[in-house]
Amino acid sequence: MEFKQTTILGFFDSSQKNYEIPVYQRAYAWDKKNWEIFLEDIVEQLNGDNSYFYGNILLETIKKDRNYEVIDGQQRLTTLTIFMRALLNVIEHRKNDSLLDDFDIEEKIRIYIKNSGNIKLRPVEYDRACFDAIIVDNKNKFEFNTPSQKKMFEAKEFFTKKLSDLSTNKVLDIFEKIEYTELTTIELTSKKDAALMFELQNNRGKDLTNMEKLKSYFMYQMYVYSNEDETNTNIENISNIFKDIYKLINDIKLDEDSILIYHNQAYIKGYPYRTLEDLKDEFKKTEDKIFWIKEYINELHTTFSNIKKFELFSSKYKSYLEHLGISAFIYPFIIKGFKFFGNDNYKLDELFKVLEIVLFRAKLINSRANIQERLNKILLGFEGDVNTLKRNIKNKLNESWYWGDENTENHFNTENMYDNNVLNYLLWRYENFLQSKGYNIKNFSIENEQIEHISPRQPNNGVIENGYDIDENSEYDEEFHTEYLNCIGNLMLISGSHNASIGNKPFNEKLNSYNKNPLLNQQAEIKSFAKEEDGKPVWKKESIDERHKKIVDFGLDTWSL
C-alpha cells in the first residue's frame, strides 16, 4: 500500500500513465446539482490563498506507473476530465485572445485527455465509445445507449456554457487552480487490500449510493471471513456479479437503491426493512457467511434482471399498473412473481391483475392507515400461488375494513369524487368497458385531458343555463350541491378544447356537442341517461343517479377480489 501526495497536474502528467474504471464499478451518475457544487467549489477557491484539496483517489496497481484501476473516486475523476475538456474548448474558442499567447493547448490535451494512443481515463467498458467520441475526440453528437452516456454529454455542455460566461482571465485562473489542486493517491496491489481500503473509505461518510456501500461491505466481509487462499477469488466473485448488476442498471428506469429496498423487503424483512443495517443484522446471524453473501448477491442479480424484464414486459394488466402509477409497496410482489413464474406470461398477468386491484383500492381510499402492515405477512408468505394470494389479500383487506369491499363501495359513492386522484384512471377504464374492442389506456389519449361536469359548477356570473336541476332562481338546491354536483355520475372525460367550447351552455347544446364529437363513448352515451321535459332533453338528479349506478357497478365488478 503506497500513499502519494500530488497535484492534478502530477496525477495526469505522464505519457504512459492511464486510469481505468473497472466494470464492476457504477457508471457515471453525477447530475446538474453535483456539477454546480463542483464548479462553485473551484470558483470559491480562487478567492483564497490556500491550496484546493481534491480528496483521496483509491487505485489498484495493474502495472506500476502505467496502468491503474480506480477503486474509489471514479465520479470525481470522470467529472474532472469532462471539465478539463470543456475548459480547453472554451480556451480554444478564444485562441486569438492575446492573454492566451503562451498557452499551449495541444500540450494540455496530451496531459489530460490523450497522448498519442494513450487515453488518460477509461470509463466503464460499455461507456467507452461514447466517452471517446464526446470527450476524447470532442464530438458533439452520439447515439446514447445508457443514462450515464447522456450524463457525460450533458456535463460537457453544462461546463462549457458556464465557463463561456467567464472572462479569459478567470478561465485561466481556474485552469491554474485546477492544475495545482492537491490530492492523495492510495495505490494498492491486490483485491484484498482494495476491499479493505474501500470499506474504510466508505465508513468516512462519503456520499455513496446504498448499492455501492453494500458492494464494499460484502467485499470487506469476504476479506474477513474467507480462507486466505480463497480471498481473492471470493472478492473477484463479488466484483463480477456487481459488474453484471451495473450493466443491468443502465437499462433500467427504476433507480438502483429503490430496487435494493424492494428486494430486501421481498426476501429479508418484509416492509419493515428500512436501511442496510437491517440487512447487516440478518447477515450477522448466519453461520456460513461466505455462502450467505454468495446466495444473496446471486438473488440480487436475479432481481435486477427481473426488473428489466418487467419494464420490457407487455400485457394488459401491466399497462394498467403503470397507468395507475405503481406504488413502492407493489414492487416486492412483482420481484417475487418473476422469481416464481419465470416466463409464464399468463401467470404474471394474473398476478398483475391482483396487484392492480389492491393498488387501485389503496389509491381510491387513500387512508392514513398503513396498508403495508396488513400485507406484510402475505408478502413474506407468497411463494407463487396467485389464487392463494388473492384469497389472503381479500380476507386481510376486508378484515382491515379500510380497503375492503364495503369501504371501496363507500368511496365509489362519495359525494365528492371530483377530487379523487384515481378519477381519470377510473373513467378511462370505464371507457374501455364501453368500447366494443376497447381502448388501450396506455396508448390512447385526448388532448389536454380534463374532467367535465355535465351539470356545470357555479359559473362566474352565477347564472346556470336551462336543462339542469335548478330552481326558479336558476340555482341548485343544497342536496344537489353536496351529493350530485361532484359525484361520479356527473363527471366525464373530455378534451380541454371541447370543454372550453361548451362551458356552461344549456344542456341541449351540450348534448348536441357530445353527439357531434363523440371522441369517447362515455360522451355519446349521455343521451341514453338524459330525460325529456317540454320536448327538450334535461340532465337532472334522476339521470345522474342512473349513470352513477352504472359506473359504480362497473367499478365494483372491475376491482373486486
Side-chain angles (χ1 to χ4, degrees), residues 381-478:
F382 174 50
E383 295 184 351
D385 188 327
V386 175
N387 289 327
T388 299
L389 176 69
K390 187 188 220 178
R391 183 171 60 252
N392 289 342
I393 288 176
K394 178 179 180 177
N395 291 340
K396 179 56 68 175
L397 295 190
N398 281 325
E399 173 190 308
S400 304
W401 184 80
Y402 294 104
W403 308 275
D405 296 338
E406 180 185 347
N407 203 31
T408 299
E409 184 172 1
N410 290 343
H411 276 75
F412 277 129
N413 285 310
T414 185
E415 55 204 24
N416 189 18
M417 193 66 181
Y418 180 69
D419 292 327
N420 196 286
N421 58 9
V422 298
L423 175 60
N424 290 53
Y425 176 78
L426 189 159
L427 290 175
W428 272 117
R429 290 294 304 276
Y430 180 63
E431 184 65 31
N432 288 359
F433 166 71
L434 294 177
Q435 294 290 325
S436 57
K437 294 183 179 179
Y439 284 137
N440 183 329
I441 64 172
K442 186 178 180 182
N443 298 322
F444 188 86
S445 63
I446 54 178
E447 187 177 351
N448 188 19
E449 179 180 311
Q450 295 181 5
I451 297 295
E452 152 83 335
H453 283 76
I454 304 169
S455 277
R457 289 181 288 179
Q458 193 80 19
N460 291 335
N461 62 9
V463 177
I464 301 170
E465 299 289 350
N466 295 324
Y468 305 107
D469 216 326
I470 54 178
D471 59 22
E472 64 276 7
N473 296 317
S474 296
E475 294 180 349
Y476 298 131
D477 63 24
E478 185 177 347

Side-chain angles (χ1 to χ4, degrees), residues 54 66 121 154 186-187 196 205 334 348 350 390 410 457 460 525-526 555-556:
Y54 203 53
R66 295 191 65 168
L121 181 68
E154 289 173 346
I186 306 169
E187 295 182 21
L196 173 61
I334 292 172
L348 284 169
E350 282 294 295
K390 187 188 220 178
N410 290 343
R457 289 181 288 179
N460 291 335
E525 76 161 354
I526 295 300
L556 291 173

Side-chain angles (χ1 to χ4, degrees), residues 157-409:
E157 285 196 320
F158 173 85
F159 288 132
T160 301
K161 183 177 184 301
K162 292 291 186 181
L163 292 168
S164 296
D165 293 337
L166 304 178
S167 68
T168 302
N169 266 326
K170 194 151 193 175
V171 168
L172 286 172
D173 287 345
I174 287 174
F175 201 99
E176 184 177 3
K177 176 61 72 172
I178 283 285
E179 286 206 311
Y180 292 100
T181 287
E182 296 179 353
L183 57 82
T184 302
T185 62
I186 306 169
E187 295 182 21
L188 310 167
T189 57
S190 71
K191 287 281 189 295
K192 290 192 295 183
D193 289 340
L196 173 61
M197 282 302 300
F198 193 29
E199 177 65 9
L200 293 176
Q201 288 279 103
N202 291 339
N203 282 333
R204 293 171 63 187
K206 293 173 68 64
D207 186 16
L208 300 175
T209 68
N210 284 326
M211 279 288 291
E212 289 174 310
K213 292 175 183 175
L214 181 65
K215 177 186 68 177
S216 70
Y217 177 76
F218 280 156
M219 290 175 74
Y220 178 65
Q221 297 307 319
M222 285 297 198
Y223 174 88
V224 172
Y225 289 104
S226 294
N227 295 328
E228 186 173 352
D229 59 342
E230 296 177 349
T231 304
N232 273 335
T233 302
N234 286 338
I235 291 174
E236 284 179 6
N237 175 256
I238 299 281
S239 300
N240 289 333
I241 293 175
F242 273 95
K243 172 186 72 176
D244 290 339
I245 288 175
Y246 280 127
K247 284 182 179 178
L248 287 166
I249 285 170
N250 275 297
D251 296 328
I252 295 172
K253 296 174 185 174
L254 205 59
D255 76 271
E256 63 196 71
D257 279 352
S258 293
I259 298 173
L260 179 61
I261 289 172
Y262 304 148
H263 174 83
N264 289 332
Q265 287 175 337
Y267 297 118
I268 297 299
K269 200 174 180 180
Y271 293 120
Y273 173 87
R274 288 294 177 268
T275 69
L276 287 179
E277 295 307 312
D278 293 333
L279 177 64
K280 292 176 183 179
D281 287 343
E282 291 298 312
F283 167 72
K284 290 170 184 175
K285 295 175 186 175
T286 61
E287 293 185 9
D288 190 339
K289 290 182 166 50
I290 301 299
F291 176 80
W292 191 94
I293 291 173
K294 288 181 176 180
E295 288 291 299
Y296 176 89
I297 62 172
N298 278 310
E299 194 74 69
L300 184 64
H301 176 266
T302 298
T303 288
F304 275 89
S305 178
N306 285 336
I307 289 292
K308 179 179 177 180
K309 289 179 184 177
F310 172 72
E311 291 187 350
L312 296 173
F313 191 80
S314 179
S315 75
K316 179 168 71 172
Y317 283 98
K318 189 253 189 173
S319 72
Y320 287 165
L321 274 173
E322 290 181 320
H323 195 82
L324 185 52
I326 304 176
S327 295
F329 76 90
I330 294 293
Y331 277 106
F333 282 104
I334 292 172
I335 287 168
K336 296 189 85 169
F338 270 92
K339 174 183 178 179
F340 293 120
F341 301 142
N343 295 319
D344 190 328
N345 291 359
Y346 174 79
K347 286 185 177 178
L348 284 169
D349 214 33
E350 282 294 295
L351 171 65
F352 299 153
K353 182 177 181 180
V354 174
L355 296 179
E356 190 266 349
I357 293 170
V358 176
L359 181 60
F360 178 85
R361 289 187 178 205
K363 293 197 172 200
L364 170 74
I365 294 164
N366 196 25
S367 170
R368 291 184 179 180
N370 188 344
I371 195 170
Q372 296 182 8
E373 285 183 10
R374 277 70 173 185
L375 295 176
N376 194 54
K377 188 175 180 181
I378 297 171
L379 169 65
L380 293 174
F382 174 50
E383 295 184 351
D385 188 327
V386 175
N387 289 327
T388 299
L389 176 69
K390 187 188 220 178
R391 183 171 60 252
N392 289 342
I393 288 176
K394 178 179 180 177
N395 291 340
K396 179 56 68 175
L397 295 190
N398 281 325
E399 173 190 308
S400 304
W401 184 80
Y402 294 104
W403 308 275
D405 296 338
E406 180 185 347
N407 203 31
T408 299
E409 184 172 1

